[in-house]
Amino acid sequence: MARADFATVQSAPIPLAPDALAGGASLGLGLAARPNADDESGSGGEVPSSAWRVRADAWEFLGYAVKQLSAAARPLAGALPQEVRRLLPLLESLEMYWASPGQQYVMELRRILEAGEYPEALSLIEPVARRVAGHNQHAQEPAQDPEREADRVDEPTESRKRFEVLVIDDVSSADREALQTELLSQRRPADAFNYELVFVPSFEDAIVAVLLNPDIQACVLRPGFVPKSRQRMSRDVRSFLDRFLGKSLPQRPLDRILSLAEKLAQLRPELDLYLVAGVGIEELAGSLTRQFRRIFRRQDGLELHLSLLAGIAERYEAPFFHAVQQYSRRPAGVFHALPVSRGGSVIHSKWINDLGEFYGLNLLLAETSATSGGLDSLLDPHGSLKQAQKLAARAFGAQKTLFVTNGTSTANKIVHQSILAPGDVVLVDRNCHKSHHYALMLAGAQVSYLDAYPLNDFSFYGAVPLESIKRMLLDYRRAGRLHEVKMLALTNCTFDGIVYDVERVMEECLAIKPDLVFLWDEAWFAFAGFHHIYRRRTAMASARSLEAKFADPAYARRHAAQLRDLAAAGGAADGQAGGEPDDGGPGSGVGHVSVELLLKTRLLPDPAKARLRVYSTQSTHKTLTSLRQGSMIHIHDQDFGQLNEESFREAYMTHTSTSPNYQILAFLDMGRRQVEFEGYELVQRQADLAVSIAQAVARHPLLKKYFRVLGTRDLIPAQYRETSRQMPLRDGLAAMSEAWEQDEFVVDPSRLTLHIGLTGVDGDTFKHDYLMDKYGIQVNKTSRNSVLFMTNIGTSRSAVAYLVEVLVKLAETFEDEQSGLSGLGQRTRRARIAALTSTPPPLPDFSRFAERFRKDPETPDGNMRAAYFESYKAGSCEYFSAAEIARRVAAGEEMVSASFVTPYPPGFPVLVPGQVITEEILAFMSALDTREIHGFDAELGFRVLTGKPSGELASRQKPA
């Protein structure tokens, strides 16, 4: 870090990573190590998403250093004063992008320190350090200038939420002071919110500010801002800016304003954008309404102030939560269901009054079956719930959002039933959640399973390659059945954190089947819509992006050019590849072109034919703030009103309880409010803390002896990615952005798969006996040699430190156990490690449906419902041991599963009704080390269909 005196802020790069304080040596645990004063290179992974931690650590460390100076009998020479001098340039660089305490505050602090007034300096540092660290969030904010503290409105602020407003204009100090005075003078005691202004002079500084400062909730653009920053940026920040902004910025002021508004909305769409122009705003207004919430003249200070507050108030509104809150405060007489309502059956009970003491009176007062008096009906919302769902749709970027109170399992069933009729073909990831399999069985769909690429060394699957999806669609095209294919259902992200390129998958599939419906199970990805890099791989953002592309005339020209190129290459490709061209069949988006050529081409759909019908189901409770089972369905369906509105309503009625839990609904409403204000900040922290864990494991000499965090090169084969970084976010925001833009699959950095094979302990035992029973560490998924850790928006730095501490203790335990083993014990231990680190039996792909449950031998889909209900007939099923089945399969007998068999983990059915049992499946089942297998009885064995096919099925069976 530069040692120059900071009379200005141009003399040091912006250091933004955890390692900026530690010279690359920090493990991200507690306070960082000594700052490296000579590091001006931006090396060590300077990442904008880590600025929150650098800033907090810098203020805390500065407070510690100055406290030592203040307590000394005489000024200390050497290390501490030098440490203080090293921290001040860092804080001046960062605080340029915060209103509070702000850069002027740090410069004044520097003056006080240089004067040796350490107690006074400490009194300025400590409240800032507490607030920046996350404590006392609603305390009075320090002013940018300490001398102006007395000028604040004399109003208690504990109940007021606070935000910051970014003003983008290259103005003089006097003009800045005048604007700040004008706006802050508009404050009134009745204002619901407080705000402070932070000023930046350039386009680039505005981008950096909204990246670094999550307190910014609104931006005011003024025409005077310049394109380039005068700050010295770290390499990663500069690389990100160059990639995000392109090689040059618009030169015309109006174009530059529009471009900046677009980029700010791309980074953080929740921000309220305002334009303050000098002249001609009447002409500007008509062309800028899409980009800006409102346009003002410079003289409209009061209106701007009121608009800033009104914009925040709109997001702050939580209509259903407020309705429940108000209901709980009113007196009521209950002459209906629910004795627990108002605490009636609990508070005065002689035996269960401790229930009320534990949960509190508010919960009981808010519990009701009423749908009036400000409350609403989930099945027929007209008031507060309807408005809450509209606000959720806005927040998650959907056309329509519905709340679900019994989990994403139910959300999946609703969507499947609303779209599918018996006989419709569905392409679905075989490894998806069991709710999809049961929903498809209930719907009577013809199920065509897609296989994900296997990760045999770690005993779990990745995701389904796009080539496999396209090939399956083209197989149905060749068989003349493409018109029967209705839906593609995939899990994004997977349990293990593999993330699809959602936009590309939909774009290429629509080129083959223009009316294909997409269901993206985002049960573990609800948080992703609130970070600019994650967001582009969500279903709703991808649907909006494709909609914009399809509306662009240039896209239609690109599509027409591609068709000409394919037609020109088609004949040669057919001859070379042995393809079987046809006319595409009913509903096809491609014509006389070979399969192999289509597989190699990044296909573009015809924008005049393609229909965007996209559904996303999210477990809000898994990754955002909600009680368990709180979920949402997000819809972007251009044909919803014409094709699906009525059937969706019926499906929703079918699966939704008439007694929904109001507390879950209230949490969904408040969870939405939270992410619209602080989702960006929380997601950044979530990912950054996960990287801290991975770095700790990689750097600690004892941890890396027994553990390894699996990265991109472990989890995504090379053919599915163009980049090669093991953990892109560890290398910087620019590196992560590059991978997420280019690679077919990426790994969610907040999911850490810890390989534990060298411990000699299998995953299930490690989860229960070591993590949970000994230390209270909760994890969900394991494989035979791995454990999955997930950070979330509630993960704290203390929790991360505790996890690393536990892993170190466990490693020490393994070290002690190993040193005390006899020769026989050592051999036994080596054998266990060999079993966990050698390649096990390959993960089984879906075998096939028995012929009597298939429509034809050319396509793989099967009627799972027919197989499921065949097992209801007396004498149609029998239990067989694994050994007996293996003997019969080896003898050539076809053994057909009568039920779903689902090991936990991994949590997907290894067998479904109607599926043929193979030797590979039996080998995989025998190698499982999990304690929980649904649908399998260890004493009785597998349930197998033994009856002859019914007359109906036999008549449909076709000869091979």
Side-chain angles (χ1 to χ4, degrees):
M1 184 57 59
R3 303 188 187 193
D5 184 78
F6 260 59
T8 65
V9 296
Q10 283 90 42
S11 57
I14 301 174
L16 302 170
D19 294 341
L21 286 178
S26 169
L27 296 181
L29 307 177
L31 286 173
R34 285 182 50 152
N36 183 349
D38 300 320
D39 182 12
E40 295 186 350
S41 66
S43 61
E46 292 183 336
V47 186
S49 61
S50 301
W52 65 272
R53 186 166 58 181
V54 180
R55 185 171 176 246
D57 283 351
W59 278 107
E60 188 171 357
F61 193 88
L62 182 63
Y64 171 79
V66 174
K67 189 173 184 179
Q68 298 301 307
L69 287 172
S70 181
R74 55 187 177 83
L76 298 178
L80 282 177
Q82 181 66 19
E83 298 295 346
V84 171
R85 289 197 296 271
R86 289 173 176 175
L87 286 168
L88 289 172
L90 168 63
L91 288 173
E92 288 190 22
S93 295
L94 287 175
E95 292 300 335
M96 172 184 174
Y97 299 106
W98 268 266
S100 178
Q103 194 176 65
Q104 292 298 320
Y105 191 94
V106 180
M107 295 173 72
E108 175 66 11
L109 181 61
R110 173 191 285 274
R111 184 194 65 77
I112 294 171
L113 285 169
E114 289 176 347
E117 299 171 1
Y118 299 136
E120 181 181 353
L122 188 62
S123 70
L124 295 177
I125 294 169
E126 287 183 335
V128 176
R130 286 195 299 269
R131 185 185 63 78
V132 171
H135 308 302
N136 202 17
Q137 288 284 357
H138 304 304
Q140 183 78 24
E141 297 296 330
Q144 288 195 13
D145 181 353
E147 296 181 359
R148 295 181 55 198
E149 192 71 28
D151 297 335
R152 293 179 173 272
V153 175
D154 185 16
E155 177 72 15
T157 59
E158 285 76 6
S159 62
R160 291 190 185 189
K161 307 298 182 184
R162 175 195 169 275
F163 64 100
E164 295 191 357
V165 177
L166 179 67
V167 180
I168 307 156
D169 194 6
D170 189 13
V171 295
S172 67
S173 298
D175 288 342
R176 177 183 302 185
E177 182 73 17
L179 176 60
Q180 181 158 306
T181 300
E182 179 187 6
L183 280 178
L184 298 187
S185 69
Q186 307 293 345
R187 289 179 174 179
R188 298 293 183 271
D191 290 346
F193 307 98
N194 271 341
Y195 65 84
E196 299 284 348
L197 304 179
V198 54
F199 292 83
V200 295
S202 74
F203 193 123
E204 290 184 341
D205 285 317
I207 299 299
V208 173
V210 298
L211 280 173
L212 296 185
N213 184 355
D215 294 333
I216 293 172
Q217 298 294 335
C219 299
V220 177
L221 282 69
R222 291 159 55 103
F225 65 86
V226 296
K228 296 291 185 179
S229 172
R230 294 186 284 270
Q231 287 280 87
R232 292 179 57 198
M233 304 290 182
S234 67
R235 281 201 300 263
D236 179 53
V237 178
R238 173 49 56 193
S239 178
F240 176 82
L241 287 174
D242 291 344
R243 186 176 190 86
F244 184 66
L245 301 180
K247 294 188 179 298
S248 62
L249 297 175
Q251 295 303 309
R252 289 181 63 243
L254 180 58
D255 292 338
R256 195 157 62 237
I257 288 170
L258 291 173
S259 178
L260 177 56
E262 178 185 345
K263 292 299 183 182
L264 291 172
Q266 188 176 340
L267 285 175
R268 292 178 57 188
E270 76 277 8
L271 297 179
D272 298 322
L273 304 184
Y274 301 92
L275 176 62
V276 174
V279 294
I281 65 169
E282 297 86 356
E283 290 75 14
L284 291 175
S287 60
L288 301 180
T289 53
R290 291 176 60 87
Q291 289 80 14
F292 294 96
R293 183 179 175 90
R294 189 170 170 185
I295 302 174
F296 299 95
R297 294 175 68 244
R298 292 183 185 271
Q299 295 83 357
D300 294 333
L302 175 59
E303 290 301 314
L304 176 57
H305 167 76
L306 295 175
S307 296
L308 289 168
L309 297 180
I312 297 301
E314 284 187 16
R315 272 187 277 160
Y316 191 76
E317 180 64 23
F320 190 73
F321 170 74
H322 290 154
V324 172
Q325 193 177 45
Q326 291 303 314
Y327 171 83
S328 72
R329 293 171 178 171
R330 292 198 303 264
V334 179
F335 297 93
H336 187 42
L338 224 61
V340 75
S341 180
R342 321 296 295 182
S345 63
V346 175
I347 296 173
H348 303 297
S349 170
K350 300 174 183 178
W351 296 99
I352 65 168
N353 56 329
D354 52 331
L355 178 67
E357 294 169 0
F358 179 77
Y359 282 106
L361 186 59
N362 278 344
L363 176 66
L364 300 174
L365 290 173
E367 190 61 31
T368 180
S369 60
T371 58
S372 57
L375 300 174
D376 206 352
S377 168
L378 182 60
L379 292 172
D380 188 24
H382 288 87
S384 54
L385 263 178
K386 181 177 181 179
Q387 182 62 18
Q389 291 180 138
K390 284 185 177 180
L391 293 176
R394 180 190 69 190
F396 288 88
Q399 293 175 340
K400 186 179 183 68
T401 290
L402 292 101
F403 293 167
V404 179
T405 59
N406 36 355
T408 302
S409 294
T410 293
N412 289 330
K413 293 170 188 173
I414 291 170
V415 176
H416 280 299
Q417 182 173 322
S418 74
I419 298 291
L420 301 172
D424 286 340
V425 175
V426 180
L427 311 187
V428 60
D429 179 5
R430 196 281 301 268
N431 309 313
C432 63
H433 188 265
K434 70 174 186 176
S435 60
H436 292 278
H437 303 270
Y438 282 99
L440 295 172
M441 180 271 295
L442 291 172
Q446 290 291 125
V447 182
S448 185
Y449 282 118
L450 298 161
D451 286 312
Y453 64 81
L455 295 164
N456 289 319
D457 288 345
F458 314 118
S459 298
F460 59 84
Y461 290 88
V464 181
L466 177 55
E467 181 179 342
S468 300
I469 302 170
K470 291 168 64 177
R471 187 180 294 278
M472 184 74 79
L473 287 170
L474 293 170
D475 286 346
Y476 276 94
R477 168 181 177 259
R478 179 165 32 197
R481 295 185 59 202
L482 186 59
H483 62 286
E484 298 178 32
V485 179
K486 191 68 171 287
M487 175 188 282
L488 171 66
L490 295 171
T491 304
N492 187 57
C493 66
T494 70
F495 207 153
D496 300 285
I498 310 300
V499 183
Y500 287 84
D501 187 339
V502 175
E503 183 174 334
R504 181 177 177 184
V505 169
M506 295 196 295
E507 188 173 30
E508 294 212 48
C509 288
L510 289 172
I512 301 171
K513 172 71 172 167
D515 60 348
L516 188 64
V517 181
F518 299 90
L519 170 55
W520 294 96
D521 184 338
E522 295 181 328
W524 294 98
F525 216 44
F527 70 90
F530 302 94
H531 189 279
H532 54 98
I533 295 180
Y534 278 100
R535 187 184 304 116
R536 71 175 304 276
R537 290 192 175 228
T538 64
M540 293 298 103
S542 297
R544 293 195 307 276
S545 177
L546 287 175
E547 188 173 50
K549 283 184 177 180
F550 294 167
D552 186 350
Y555 191 92
R557 293 192 293 271
R558 289 174 56 207
H559 168 260
Q562 183 177 84
L563 283 185
R564 290 192 296 270
D565 293 342
L566 288 172
D574 292 341
Q576 294 171 2
E580 299 179 11
D582 55 31
D583 63 359
S588 175
V590 291
H592 190 86
V593 182
S594 76
V595 168
E596 295 306 317
L597 181 57
L598 292 174
L599 291 175
K600 294 176 182 177
T601 303
R602 181 160 184 166
L603 300 175
L604 302 177
D606 183 346
K609 295 180 180 178
R611 306 301 297 165
L612 282 166
R613 306 193 62 197
V614 185
Y615 293 75
S616 163
T617 55
Q618 293 182 349
S619 294
T620 314
H621 67 100
K622 282 186 169 69
T623 63
L624 298 177
T625 297
S626 175
L627 295 178
R628 289 196 73 180
Q629 299 192 60
S631 297
M632 298 187 193
I633 300 172
H634 305 300
I635 302 171
H636 186 113
D637 186 346
Q638 292 176 323
D639 298 325
F640 185 79
Q642 294 75 27
L643 300 180
N644 200 39
E645 188 169 13
E646 295 298 328
S647 59
F648 189 93
R649 182 182 297 114
E650 291 302 312
Y652 194 78
M653 292 285 185
T654 300
H655 294 283
T656 299
S657 171
T658 55
S659 302
N661 187 305
Y662 278 7
Q663 314 320 315
I664 294 177
L665 294 172
F667 265 81
L668 289 173
D669 195 16
M670 290 295 278
R672 184 275 314 160
R673 182 216 275 180
Q674 180 182 38
V675 292
E676 282 206 284
F677 281 107
E678 55 184 340
Y680 174 71
E681 174 184 13
L682 296 174
V683 174
Q684 283 196 130
R685 293 190 182 199
Q686 166 182 328
D688 182 53
L689 289 174
V691 172
S692 296
I693 298 171
Q695 289 177 318
V697 172
R699 292 170 175 171
H700 194 287
L702 193 56
L703 289 180
K704 65 184 179 181
K705 180 176 180 179
Y706 291 98
F707 306 113
R708 181 168 71 91
V709 174
L710 303 182
T712 299
R713 292 193 292 269
D714 301 298
L715 301 177
I716 301 175
Q719 64 264 36
Y720 304 128
R721 49 186 168 81
E722 297 181 26
T723 65
S724 59
R725 297 178 186 270
Q726 179 74 336
M727 295 190 72
L729 181 57
R730 182 183 59 193
D731 298 330
L733 193 66
M736 181 180 175
S737 179
E738 179 186 19
W740 283 59
E741 288 176 10
Q742 296 183 7
D743 294 351
E744 179 174 348
F745 301 112
V746 293
V747 179
D748 172 8
S750 67
R751 288 166 178 267
L752 301 173
T753 299
L754 188 72
H755 187 264
I756 61 170
L758 294 178
T759 67
V761 180
D762 67 84
D764 192 65
T765 301
F766 193 83
K767 166 186 172 179
H768 291 283
D769 297 354
Y770 288 81
L771 291 177
M772 187 61 198
D773 293 349
K774 287 186 176 181
Y775 296 104
I777 298 288
Q778 300 177 28
V779 297
N780 190 313
K781 186 180 181 299
T782 65
S783 73
R784 69 187 182 95
N785 56 15
S786 71
V787 177
L788 178 67
F789 295 97
M790 295 180 287
T791 56
N792 58 52
I793 65 169
T795 303
S796 67
R797 295 180 71 176
S798 296
V800 167
Y802 179 60
L803 173 60
V804 175
E805 177 187 352
V806 166
L807 291 178
V808 170
K809 289 179 178 178
L810 291 175
E812 291 171 346
T813 299
F814 297 134
E815 193 81 350
D816 292 341
E817 289 176 352
Q818 181 180 357
S819 63
L821 290 176
S822 64
L824 178 59
Q826 291 281 6
R827 289 194 296 273
T828 302
R829 180 179 180 278
R830 286 195 295 269
R832 289 200 308 268
I833 292 174
L836 292 172
T837 55
S838 61
T839 302
L843 294 166
D845 287 337
F846 182 79
S847 54
R848 60 181 174 85
F849 284 106
E851 292 298 322
R852 66 182 187 271
F853 301 118
R854 295 171 63 179
K855 276 195 173 182
D856 64 59
E858 297 182 46
T859 49
D861 56 278
N863 189 334
M864 195 157 52
R865 185 173 71 172
Y868 180 87
F869 283 108
E870 182 175 316
S871 69
Y872 280 40
K873 300 173 184 177
S876 64
C877 299
E878 190 175 340
Y879 283 96
F880 292 92
S881 68
E884 177 61 17
I885 292 179
R887 185 188 66 77
R888 293 187 179 220
V889 169
E893 186 175 348
E894 184 178 77
M895 305 293 284
V896 180
S897 177
S899 58
F900 294 95
V901 177
T902 308
Y904 276 84
F908 63 85
V910 173
L911 289 169
V912 302
Q915 181 181 349
V916 174
I917 303 173
T918 63
E919 293 178 349
E920 292 77 14
I921 292 172
L922 293 172
F924 175 74
M925 290 290 292
S926 67
L928 281 175
D929 56 9
T930 184
R931 307 180 185 193
E932 186 177 353
I933 304 178
H934 298 179
F936 173 76
D937 190 308
E939 294 182 359
L940 298 177
F942 294 88
R943 191 162 170 252
V944 176
L945 291 173
T946 57
K948 295 181 179 180
S950 66
E952 176 189 357
L953 289 170
S955 66
R956 289 172 54 189
Q957 185 178 350
K958 295 183 180 181

